[in-house]
Amino acid sequence: SAGQGGSITGDFLGFCKLAVRHGVTPQDGAWSWAELLQRAGGKDEHGRAPLQCAFEKSDAKEKYGSENVFSVMTGGRSLRATAEVVFGSGTQESLMGMSPPCRALFDRAAAFEAQEDEFYAEVGGREAWEGLASDLGEVGLGNGPGCSDDDDDDFDREDFGSYGFTEEEEEELLSQGVKPWDDDAHNVLAALRGGQEY
């Protein structure tokens, strides 16, 4: 979902621009931005694109197996370590811990529709990004549809952070010594709230 009131396309563009800046993407010419953006905007059987749904820690474990944060030291990769390189900060600090130049680039990407063609050159070109925005239903419409199968949700998805909690819920968890990214965070919050399901 989009962060801080931005669009999914703008947030992903910011991530990709930072990935290029920090040398995370392959430099050997084997990388296809057009293919990545087509996959990112492609719909599943429920009509949702991968970027429109949160990729939880449990999803990563299912897809890639357990994370070994020490694999980076032996030449391997970890999703967490890669994110830290992209954002130039620890994943726990999220977007708040970015350096001012990185934050400025990320904020500029949030206004993706207002950028000149050269802004897109190193990440596949304007046309590919306009295609992604169109696939996500964001061109001229603001944010696209969310991940729920129920279109009558009584909340705004922008109120939820990266881990599926509101800021108030994250603060409540942290006050109890539970990190929002912990596997049991939703169960802990449910217990704190008298058994409500989250």
Side-chain angles (χ1 to χ4, degrees):
S1 67
Q4 306 281 319
S7 69
I8 295 170
T9 302
D11 286 352
F12 191 52
L13 176 59
F15 178 84
C16 291
K17 293 282 289 183
L18 289 172
V20 169
R21 175 178 280 184
H22 293 128
V24 174
T25 57
Q27 305 297 312
D28 61 5
W31 185 257
S32 171
W33 285 104
E35 185 177 331
L36 171 72
L37 297 176
Q38 286 173 348
R39 286 179 181 228
K43 306 292 187 197
D44 66 11
E45 65 274 6
H46 301 290
R48 299 175 300 222
L51 288 179
Q52 291 175 310
C53 298
F55 190 71
E56 306 286 341
K57 186 175 183 178
S58 59
D59 298 325
K61 283 183 177 179
E62 183 179 316
K63 186 169 185 171
Y64 302 112
S66 294
E67 178 179 41
N68 179 354
V69 294
F70 300 109
S71 66
V72 175
M73 292 181 220
T74 61
R77 270 297 212 280
S78 134
L79 290 176
R80 186 182 318 262
T82 301
E84 289 176 354
V85 171
V86 169
F87 287 111
S89 64
T91 54
Q92 312 322 341
E93 291 100 29
S94 185
L95 302 179
M96 303 306 181
M98 279 195 279
S99 68
C102 289
R103 179 81 240 180
L105 177 64
F106 198 84
D107 289 344
R108 187 172 171 208
F112 69 96
E113 293 171 316
Q115 302 306 320
E116 300 294 326
D117 288 349
E118 62 266 9
F119 185 75
Y120 300 91
E122 65 186 355
V123 289
R126 174 185 285 277
E127 188 175 316
W129 285 92
E130 287 176 345
L132 175 63
S134 178
D135 289 345
L136 298 178
E138 294 184 326
V139 175
L141 301 174
N143 289 338
C147 292
S148 174
D149 291 331
D150 179 7
D151 291 331
D152 298 321
D153 288 340
D154 59 353
F155 59 84
D156 184 350
R157 295 194 184 286
E158 292 177 13
D159 292 340
F160 289 80
S162 301
Y163 304 102
F165 298 105
T166 65
E167 186 175 334
E168 176 189 337
E169 291 168 341
E170 286 185 4
E171 288 174 10
E172 185 173 355
L173 287 168
L174 291 169
S175 75
Q176 300 295 320
V178 178
K179 297 172 191 77
W181 52 88
D182 288 346
D183 289 335
D184 63 346
H186 287 276
N187 294 333
V188 171
L189 186 62
L192 291 171
R193 298 273 170 103
Q196 287 179 301
E197 232 178 86
Y198 287 88

